Amino acid sequence: MSDWDERPWYFKKTPKRPPPERGIKVKKIGATWWGQRWIEALEKLSSDYSNRLSRGRTYARAGRVSDLEVAPGLVTAHVTGSRPKPYKVTLRLSTLSEAAWKKAIQEMGRQAVFTAELLMGQMPQGIDEAFRAAGQSLFPTQAKDLETECSCPDWANPCKHIAATHYVLGEALDKDPFLLFELRGKGKAAVLERLRHLRADEPRKSQTIEELPTLSLEKVSPGDYERLAGPISHLHFQIGPPASPVALLRQLGAPPSWKLQQVPAEVLSPLYITAGAFARELAVQASEGSERRPPTAKAAFPANASSLSRGSQRRHSLH
């Protein structure tokens, strides 16, 4: 028997283990401009290993990355491959100095739109301009900005496990852009608190208040408040149906106890529209001085509303 026959494992490819239950399945990579910018930085720094990047995307979509943790200058994760023990991936991103952060936050504070968008949980499109003014960039631009390690035997860097972690991190950045600040060494609370102080300390612009004309009120008895000061024949009112009769229902949304697939606006709109028409007819009759008996409003629930419980029907009935 030859040496090759004694080592049949050499020819066999070890099958991959299934993704872990706690694996993070990436649905859309780079859904925001800042998430896309992160992925572009990775692909630019890893152009020599495009095949690893494509495999990394497959791993990320399959949910093979788990236990993702982000700390200042550090990202760790586990990636399930063919071996029983998941591979450990470590990404190190250089943090910015305190002086650079101070300068960048000062630049951010000069534009009110930056503060407003950050408070809404969005990364301003021109945020990197503030960091460039401090001689830095929020995103990695050079190979020395980003160090990566993986416990797998692949000599390439990034390997597919590192690439998969990058793509999962990109989706995490889409959901929480402040992770970028965290990676660079400054947490969300610290940045927003400093921005609030900067905005509060800004000198207020002097405002010229125009002198308003004054009006002297004559002595009026309480009963005069209910009397018209003059004719109102030139005023005309028109009672008509609203442009969107169920707009309020749509804004309120579904209550926590709502169990139907259709939203309340779809189920209750027939009653809502009928009640509005009934109210308008009553108003017109009152304005015309009619003594006719008020009309009877009739409305029926749609067929798909029959699944409402009796108690639910009582709660949503119009009395």
Side-chain angles (χ1 to χ4, degrees):
M1 184 181 290
S2 66
D3 292 340
W4 297 111
D5 294 330
E6 293 175 359
R7 295 186 295 173
W9 56 266
Y10 186 86
F11 299 96
K12 294 181 180 179
K13 185 177 180 181
T14 306
K16 291 185 178 64
R17 300 180 67 84
E21 293 183 0
R22 64 181 184 279
I24 307 170
K25 287 188 177 182
V26 170
K27 296 180 180 179
K28 187 173 183 180
I29 301 173
T32 60
W33 76 263
W34 56 87
Q36 184 62 39
R37 180 79 177 274
W38 174 266
I39 299 302
E40 288 174 357
L42 162 68
E43 294 176 345
K44 181 179 180 181
L45 297 175
S46 311
S47 57
D48 294 338
Y49 304 108
S50 58
N51 60 331
R52 264 74 170 190
L53 295 180
S54 62
R55 294 176 186 173
R57 285 192 293 270
T58 302
Y59 267 45
R61 292 191 177 102
R64 294 189 169 276
V65 181
S66 60
D67 307 322
L68 181 74
E69 294 185 6
V70 178
L74 181 67
V75 177
T76 58
H78 291 101
V79 182
T80 300
S82 56
R83 295 187 177 183
K85 185 178 180 180
Y87 301 110
K88 183 176 181 180
V89 173
T90 304
L91 312 178
R92 290 185 176 87
L93 188 67
S94 56
T95 58
L96 305 182
S97 65
E98 191 62 33
W101 265 112
K102 183 178 180 180
K103 177 66 175 176
I105 293 176
Q106 286 177 343
E107 292 295 324
M108 284 187 255
R110 291 180 180 178
Q111 299 192 44
V113 65
F114 279 11
T115 305
E117 291 187 20
L118 288 171
L119 288 172
M120 291 189 297
Q122 297 182 0
M123 191 65 68
Q125 188 77 35
I127 190 70
D128 216 26
E129 296 176 4
F131 286 87
R132 283 198 293 268
Q136 301 290 336
S137 175
L138 185 59
F139 301 89
T141 57
Q142 305 177 62
K144 65 179 182 179
D145 294 335
L146 188 64
E147 297 180 4
T148 59
E149 296 178 6
C150 182
S151 60
C152 78
D154 193 350
W155 53 266
N157 194 348
C159 63
K160 56 190 174 185
H161 312 109
I162 292 175
T165 303
H166 270 291
Y167 289 120
V168 170
L169 179 59
E171 187 182 58
L173 295 177
D174 284 333
K175 298 176 181 177
D176 184 4
F178 287 100
L179 289 178
L180 276 170
F181 290 166
E182 186 83 18
L183 281 170
R184 287 302 206 175
K186 190 71 70 173
K188 171 183 177 180
V191 173
L192 293 182
E193 183 66 21
R194 182 57 185 158
L195 284 174
R196 289 190 184 98
H197 280 300
L198 288 175
R199 300 299 299 175
D201 293 341
E202 279 190 353
R204 296 183 178 275
K205 297 180 180 179
S206 58
Q207 298 180 354
T208 304
I209 301 178
E210 298 181 1
E211 186 175 351
L212 298 176
T214 58
L215 177 65
S216 299
L217 296 178
E218 298 179 358
K219 188 176 180 179
V220 180
S221 63
D224 291 337
Y225 283 104
E226 298 182 1
R227 299 188 184 95
L228 295 175
I232 59 171
S233 57
H234 61 288
L235 298 178
H236 300 279
F237 301 92
Q238 183 177 1
I239 301 175
S244 180
V246 292
L248 181 59
L249 280 178
R250 296 188 186 281
Q251 292 177 7
L252 291 175
S257 60
W258 191 261
K259 302 300 182 183
L260 299 180
Q261 291 185 348
Q262 288 182 295
V263 296
E266 295 178 354
V267 177
L268 301 177
S269 59
L271 286 176
Y272 205 79
I273 294 172
T274 302
F278 181 54
R280 287 193 300 275
E281 191 169 350
L282 288 177
V284 170
Q285 290 181 11
S287 64
E288 295 176 350
S290 174
E291 297 182 356
R292 290 187 299 129
R293 183 178 179 179
T296 301
K298 295 182 180 180
F301 274 107
N304 56 10
S306 60
S307 58
L308 285 170
S309 65
R310 293 179 180 272
S312 178
Q313 289 180 7
R314 286 196 295 270
R315 285 194 299 273
H316 294 290
S317 296
L318 297 178
H319 298 287

